[in-house]
Amino acid sequence: MQALWMVLAAFSFATMAVCVKVASAWFNSAELVFWRGVLGMLVMWLVARHQGVVLATPRLAMHAWRSLVGVVSLGAWFYAIAGLPLATAMTLNYMSSVWIAAFLLGGALLAWNPRAGSLRQGPLAIAVLAGFAGVLLMLRPNIDQRQVFAGVVGLLSGLSAAFAYMQVMALGRVGEPESRTVFYFAAGSAIAGAIAMPMMGVSAWDWSHALWLLPVGLLASLGQWCMTRAYSHGATLVVASLQYSGIVFGAFYSVVLFGDSMAPMGWLGMALIVGSGVAATVLRSRADPNAPAEEH
């Protein structure tokens, strides 16, 4: 059942990305983050009330850290969606597993004592290198010079998503309900968006444009809740691997709805990122059984 939760989460996030792509023609990233947070708070308050879950928590610091890194990832992802082909932005955001593997590999190298024997991290290193090679293949033929900054921001969205996913699992281990975790993330998004809006500007309000904000908030809440449920109760390796179905959904939307084209090298890069992400998810548990991303 947890596998189905993750597939549903991936589908929800990909569909939300379509709405963000359309809405970004009229709203900036700060506004999208703000309204996504406000609508998410409302939805999750109703869910928590229906479930009888009290929103007060003794783990406020953990929620604050999860919200901070999650909002950074969300804002960066929305910016990348607006400035890049949808399939490219989706793929860069799903680099989180490769980033986690890179952290583990770097930690192993720093702790390595040559006198104790050889460092047996070859397969993990190959997976990480393959992932970043996939990034180069995707970005080089598929974006122009005006999109380079958006590509870098998209890559950073995957980096911060890695920290957010680890914190989601940590909250699950200490028994925090899914609805409470998603509510506090939505609250953090609303606060961060409200702070950033005066600096980035407030767009003129048009109800025909604003209607696109509604599915952004609803689909985001659904996807976040499904992802939190999957990570909190599912088999981590299976669940984390199935998150990559979001790239498939995103690529389909990108080609069918937006008419985006991708060079063969770009498709190869996407395949490398998916393969390396799945491989890194499996291998990092063997490389470091005590890694936070694999404890459950």
mmCIF file of all heavy atoms in Angstrom, residues 275-295:
data_model
loop_
_atom_site.group_PDB
_atom_site.id
_atom_site.type_symbol
_atom_site.label_atom_id
_atom_site.label_comp_id
_atom_site.label_asym_id
_atom_site.label_seq_id
_atom_site.Cartn_x
_atom_site.Cartn_y
_atom_site.Cartn_z
ATOM 1 N N GLY A 275 18.116 6.059 -13.147
ATOM 2 C CA GLY A 275 18.836 4.835 -12.788
ATOM 3 C C GLY A 275 19.791 5.031 -11.637
ATOM 4 O O GLY A 275 19.860 4.205 -10.717
ATOM 5 N N SER A 276 20.515 6.144 -11.638
ATOM 6 C CA SER A 276 21.477 6.396 -10.566
ATOM 7 C C SER A 276 20.762 6.684 -9.255
ATOM 8 O O SER A 276 21.230 6.301 -8.176
ATOM 9 C CB SER A 276 22.387 7.575 -10.926
ATOM 10 O OG SER A 276 21.640 8.773 -11.039
ATOM 11 N N GLY A 277 19.597 7.343 -9.329
ATOM 12 C CA GLY A 277 18.841 7.620 -8.109
ATOM 13 C C GLY A 277 18.342 6.347 -7.456
ATOM 14 O O GLY A 277 18.447 6.178 -6.236
ATOM 15 N N VAL A 278 17.806 5.443 -8.262
ATOM 16 C CA VAL A 278 17.338 4.166 -7.721
ATOM 17 C C VAL A 278 18.509 3.356 -7.172
ATOM 18 O O VAL A 278 18.446 2.783 -6.075
ATOM 19 C CB VAL A 278 16.590 3.359 -8.805
ATOM 20 C CG1 VAL A 278 16.240 1.966 -8.287
ATOM 21 C CG2 VAL A 278 15.327 4.096 -9.233
ATOM 22 N N ALA A 279 19.617 3.314 -7.940
ATOM 23 C CA ALA A 279 20.792 2.560 -7.490
ATOM 24 C C ALA A 279 21.368 3.151 -6.206
ATOM 25 O O ALA A 279 21.744 2.423 -5.285
ATOM 26 C CB ALA A 279 21.856 2.554 -8.583
ATOM 27 N N ALA A 280 21.442 4.487 -6.143
ATOM 28 C CA ALA A 280 21.984 5.132 -4.943
ATOM 29 C C ALA A 280 21.116 4.853 -3.728
ATOM 30 O O ALA A 280 21.621 4.674 -2.611
ATOM 31 C CB ALA A 280 22.095 6.643 -5.172
ATOM 32 N N THR A 281 19.805 4.793 -3.932
ATOM 33 C CA THR A 281 18.896 4.497 -2.835
ATOM 34 C C THR A 281 19.184 3.118 -2.241
ATOM 35 O O THR A 281 19.180 2.927 -1.025
ATOM 36 C CB THR A 281 17.444 4.560 -3.325
ATOM 37 O OG1 THR A 281 17.178 5.873 -3.823
ATOM 38 C CG2 THR A 281 16.471 4.256 -2.199
ATOM 39 N N VAL A 282 19.445 2.149 -3.122
ATOM 40 C CA VAL A 282 19.739 0.791 -2.665
ATOM 41 C C VAL A 282 21.136 0.710 -2.056
ATOM 42 O O VAL A 282 21.334 0.161 -0.966
ATOM 43 C CB VAL A 282 19.616 -0.212 -3.837
ATOM 44 C CG1 VAL A 282 20.026 -1.599 -3.389
ATOM 45 C CG2 VAL A 282 18.187 -0.220 -4.365
ATOM 46 N N LEU A 283 22.118 1.294 -2.743
ATOM 47 C CA LEU A 283 23.508 1.134 -2.333
ATOM 48 C C LEU A 283 23.860 1.887 -1.061
ATOM 49 O O LEU A 283 24.700 1.441 -0.280
ATOM 50 C CB LEU A 283 24.433 1.583 -3.468
ATOM 51 C CG LEU A 283 24.455 0.682 -4.703
ATOM 52 C CD1 LEU A 283 25.216 1.353 -5.837
ATOM 53 C CD2 LEU A 283 25.078 -0.666 -4.365
ATOM 54 N N ARG A 284 23.227 3.048 -0.867
ATOM 55 C CA ARG A 284 23.618 3.821 0.315
ATOM 56 C C ARG A 284 23.233 3.117 1.607
ATOM 57 O O ARG A 284 23.834 3.349 2.650
ATOM 58 C CB ARG A 284 23.031 5.230 0.251
ATOM 59 C CG ARG A 284 21.531 5.323 0.458
ATOM 60 C CD ARG A 284 21.103 6.781 0.438
ATOM 61 N NE ARG A 284 19.691 6.897 0.769
ATOM 62 C CZ ARG A 284 18.764 7.315 -0.066
ATOM 63 N NH1 ARG A 284 19.084 7.624 -1.299
ATOM 64 N NH2 ARG A 284 17.513 7.419 0.328
ATOM 65 N N SER A 285 22.216 2.255 1.566
ATOM 66 C CA SER A 285 21.853 1.503 2.766
ATOM 67 C C SER A 285 22.929 0.468 3.107
ATOM 68 O O SER A 285 23.143 0.142 4.268
ATOM 69 C CB SER A 285 20.510 0.802 2.564
ATOM 70 O OG SER A 285 20.607 -0.178 1.565
ATOM 71 N N ARG A 286 23.606 -0.026 2.081
ATOM 72 C CA ARG A 286 24.690 -0.971 2.327
ATOM 73 C C ARG A 286 25.973 -0.247 2.725
ATOM 74 O O ARG A 286 26.752 -0.742 3.537
ATOM 75 C CB ARG A 286 24.955 -1.786 1.060
ATOM 76 C CG ARG A 286 23.739 -2.570 0.570
ATOM 77 C CD ARG A 286 24.035 -3.258 -0.753
ATOM 78 N NE ARG A 286 22.852 -3.927 -1.287
ATOM 79 C CZ ARG A 286 22.801 -4.497 -2.484
ATOM 80 N NH1 ARG A 286 23.867 -4.467 -3.271
ATOM 81 N NH2 ARG A 286 21.696 -5.084 -2.898
ATOM 82 N N ALA A 287 26.187 0.931 2.156
ATOM 83 C CA ALA A 287 27.401 1.683 2.457
ATOM 84 C C ALA A 287 27.412 2.215 3.882
ATOM 85 O O ALA A 287 28.449 2.262 4.534
ATOM 86 C CB ALA A 287 27.552 2.849 1.475
ATOM 87 N N ASP A 288 26.235 2.607 4.377
ATOM 88 C CA ASP A 288 26.141 3.154 5.738
ATOM 89 C C ASP A 288 24.770 2.815 6.303
ATOM 90 O O ASP A 288 23.813 3.567 6.124
ATOM 91 C CB ASP A 288 26.350 4.676 5.715
ATOM 92 C CG ASP A 288 26.470 5.236 7.128
ATOM 93 O OD1 ASP A 288 26.196 4.496 8.091
ATOM 94 O OD2 ASP A 288 26.850 6.411 7.254
ATOM 95 N N PRO A 289 24.630 1.696 6.980
ATOM 96 C CA PRO A 289 23.337 1.282 7.504
ATOM 97 C C PRO A 289 22.732 2.261 8.502
ATOM 98 O O PRO A 289 21.546 2.235 8.749
ATOM 99 C CB PRO A 289 23.638 -0.069 8.184
ATOM 100 C CG PRO A 289 24.909 -0.541 7.561
ATOM 101 C CD PRO A 289 25.691 0.702 7.270
ATOM 102 N N ASN A 290 23.560 3.153 9.090
ATOM 103 C CA ASN A 290 23.066 4.086 10.093
ATOM 104 C C ASN A 290 22.722 5.454 9.519
ATOM 105 O O ASN A 290 22.460 6.374 10.255
ATOM 106 C CB ASN A 290 24.113 4.268 11.194
ATOM 107 C CG ASN A 290 24.379 2.968 11.949
ATOM 108 O OD1 ASN A 290 23.454 2.230 12.258
ATOM 109 N ND2 ASN A 290 25.640 2.670 12.201
ATOM 110 N N ALA A 291 22.727 5.558 8.189
ATOM 111 C CA ALA A 291 22.418 6.852 7.576
ATOM 112 C C ALA A 291 20.974 7.252 7.862
ATOM 113 O O ALA A 291 20.071 6.420 7.820
ATOM 114 C CB ALA A 291 22.626 6.762 6.060
ATOM 115 N N PRO A 292 20.718 8.525 8.151
ATOM 116 C CA PRO A 292 19.357 8.956 8.483
ATOM 117 C C PRO A 292 18.341 8.645 7.398
ATOM 118 O O PRO A 292 17.199 8.364 7.689
ATOM 119 C CB PRO A 292 19.508 10.487 8.661
ATOM 120 C CG PRO A 292 20.956 10.677 8.993
ATOM 121 C CD PRO A 292 21.695 9.604 8.278
ATOM 122 N N ALA A 293 18.758 8.699 6.141
ATOM 123 C CA ALA A 293 17.797 8.486 5.044
ATOM 124 C C ALA A 293 17.310 7.052 5.008
ATOM 125 O O ALA A 293 16.295 6.768 4.398
ATOM 126 C CB ALA A 293 18.436 8.832 3.711
ATOM 127 N N GLU A 294 18.017 6.129 5.645
ATOM 128 C CA GLU A 294 17.644 4.725 5.563
ATOM 129 C C GLU A 294 17.096 4.183 6.880
ATOM 130 O O GLU A 294 16.571 3.096 6.917
ATOM 131 C CB GLU A 294 18.849 3.881 5.132
ATOM 132 C CG GLU A 294 19.339 4.179 3.737
ATOM 133 C CD GLU A 294 18.259 3.952 2.721
ATOM 134 O OE1 GLU A 294 17.443 3.031 2.894
ATOM 135 O OE2 GLU A 294 18.213 4.711 1.727
ATOM 136 N N GLU A 295 17.238 4.910 7.961
ATOM 137 C CA GLU A 295 16.633 4.473 9.211
ATOM 138 C C GLU A 295 15.120 4.691 9.130
ATOM 139 O O GLU A 295 14.650 5.631 8.495
ATOM 140 C CB GLU A 295 17.186 5.287 10.390
ATOM 141 C CG GLU A 295 18.612 4.928 10.726
ATOM 142 C CD GLU A 295 19.091 5.715 11.904
ATOM 143 O OE1 GLU A 295 18.264 6.271 12.634
ATOM 144 O OE2 GLU A 295 20.305 5.801 12.087
#
